[in-house]
Amino acid sequence: MGLYGYARDTTPRLQSMQGLLGDDMVVLRNAWSVDANTVESLRNIFGFGQHAADMSFAAASTAASPAEAGAVSATDGLHAIALARAAGYKVWWMSNHDDLAIEQEHARLADVVDMVNRTPGRAGASLDGELLDCLQEALDDPAERKLIVLHLMGAHPHYRLRFPRGENPFDDNADAVDAQLAGQGRPAWVRRFRHEYDAALLYHDFVVSETLQLTRQGARPGEYRAWMYLSDHGQEVGHGSDRAGHSPSTASGYRIPAIVWRNRAAQPVSAAMAQAPFRTDWAGWTLADVLRIDWPGAQPERNVLHPGYRWQPPVLPPGVVSFTD
């Protein structure tokens, strides 16, 4: 992503919004998943890391104070969607990612489920932009508190199916990225996949930035709104080896983007917080903070937005030495 310093302009909209929103839009510079596949990663994201060995969220609430989460007192067996519902949130699950296990484990806990893609696996050509109208309908719903989960296909293989046909500005483009890949001895097929992957990210930038824009606009006076975006895992596309796709054996399979925006933060986020390493199996704690939910047994030291955050590095199969390089 260009937002993270990549040489290609793959995120012009998000970068523009960062310039507009300033410190209200926190780009976590050193974010990691602890899983290299979607099913396990979502279990950890929504299960507060109870499955540990990495979505876009939008939230709106007219409540000015933290919500109460009923009698919840620990995280064992806790699910973030169930927690939100216990705190009085109406929950939507909107997905362009057809997977029966994910639907049964997570989507079924929501009040409203909207699946726009019913092609199992990764062969479907449904574009993530199909979810934008669904998001607008949910934002227009009169519920006082709402949590809207959008599960995008993002840049999953097959990369060429993740952007509109004919819209690949990086195809056959002999730029610095292609020259670097050639200099590393990457074969032509890996370089082709990188061009398609970057085009998928460019389209992804449009969708993700639009979800943020829709969440921001239309807020009533005094209404709190927040938005959180992260990937469930990374992709290896010639970054560290001659391969393309899910990669449990290289760091690229775990390195992810993560961004948080709030129109009214509980406390200011410092530059040091944005640089702090972040892990997806702790994402539930940050989501709970974004939703302003507190309960006995909460662990703010695992919330990257909290002043008391205390990083503990996960053990990943590639043997990552530094989580801040």
Side-chain angles (χ1 to χ4, degrees):
M1 288 188 165
L3 184 66
Y4 283 81
Y6 184 55
R8 281 178 172 162
D9 191 18
T10 55
T11 54
R13 290 172 178 260
L14 284 174
Q15 288 170 258
S16 177
M17 297 193 80
Q18 184 185 35
L20 173 68
L21 300 175
D23 293 340
D24 290 339
M25 179 176 166
V26 183
V27 178
L28 299 172
R29 311 303 306 185
N30 297 292
W32 297 80
S33 177
V34 300
D35 302 286
N37 68 81
T38 296
V39 173
E40 290 299 323
S41 185
L42 292 191
R43 285 173 180 160
N44 274 315
I45 289 172
F46 288 107
F48 294 85
Q50 296 302 308
H51 300 277
D54 166 78
M55 205 156 263
S56 166
F57 305 94
S61 174
T62 55
S65 58
E68 294 295 331
V72 176
S73 61
T75 57
D76 290 343
L78 184 63
H79 194 288
I81 290 179
L83 179 71
R85 292 186 64 180
Y89 279 85
K90 181 177 180 179
V91 181
W92 283 257
W93 181 281
M94 302 174 176
S95 180
N96 189 35
H97 198 307
D98 184 75
D99 187 291
L100 183 59
I102 293 172
E103 189 171 351
Q104 291 298 310
E105 290 184 40
H106 309 293
R108 68 181 179 86
L109 297 176
D111 298 284
V112 181
V113 178
D114 200 341
M115 310 290 289
V116 300
N117 175 19
R118 280 304 187 183
T119 301
R122 310 289 184 265
S126 175
L127 295 174
D128 285 336
E130 297 295 325
L131 287 170
L132 295 176
D133 286 342
C134 302
L135 172 60
Q136 185 63 67
E137 290 178 7
L139 288 168
D140 290 341
D141 187 275
E144 181 182 1
R145 291 175 176 159
K146 61 187 76 170
L147 166 63
I148 307 162
V149 183
L150 288 90
H151 187 198
L152 310 176
M153 283 291 278
H156 268 109
H158 306 287
Y159 306 132
R160 69 182 186 280
L161 301 179
R162 306 297 162 240
F163 57 90
R165 184 184 297 273
E167 295 188 15
N168 184 351
F170 310 113
D171 193 26
D172 298 323
N173 187 5
D175 58 8
V177 171
D178 193 61
Q180 180 185 36
L181 291 170
Q184 293 172 326
R186 301 294 182 229
W189 65 271
V190 170
R191 292 157 62 187
R192 183 180 73 253
F193 279 135
R194 176 70 77 87
H195 302 330
E196 294 174 353
Y197 179 72
D198 288 350
L201 286 180
L202 181 61
Y203 177 73
H204 189 61
D205 172 67
F206 155 68
V207 176
V208 172
S209 63
E210 193 67 13
T211 67
L212 174 53
Q213 179 61 20
L214 290 174
T215 304
R216 290 178 57 236
Q217 68 187 26
R220 299 184 297 275
E223 182 181 28
Y224 168 72
R225 290 200 176 190
W227 173 94
M228 181 177 176
Y229 158 77
L230 72 159
S231 291
D232 50 359
H233 57 77
Q235 292 278 306
E236 173 64 70
V237 195
H239 302 92
S241 66
D242 291 342
R243 62 180 300 172
H246 295 64
S247 184
S249 61
T250 66
S252 297
Y254 301 85
R255 197 71 187 262
I256 62 164
I259 309 171
V260 178
W261 168 83
R262 294 169 291 179
N263 66 352
R264 191 166 64 251
Q267 61 271 328
V269 176
S270 66
M273 286 184 183
Q275 293 292 335
F278 166 86
R279 48 190 287 181
T280 51
D281 58 327
W282 289 4
W285 304 104
T286 302
L287 176 60
D289 181 32
V290 167
L291 292 170
R292 295 180 162 185
I293 299 175
D294 196 11
W295 73 98
Q299 299 180 43
E301 68 273 13
R302 294 191 172 190
N303 168 21
V304 71
L305 301 178
H306 194 276
Y309 180 63
R310 296 292 180 267
W311 165 253
Q312 296 177 22
V315 178
L316 301 182
V320 176
V321 175
S322 174
F323 289 89
T324 57
D325 290 339

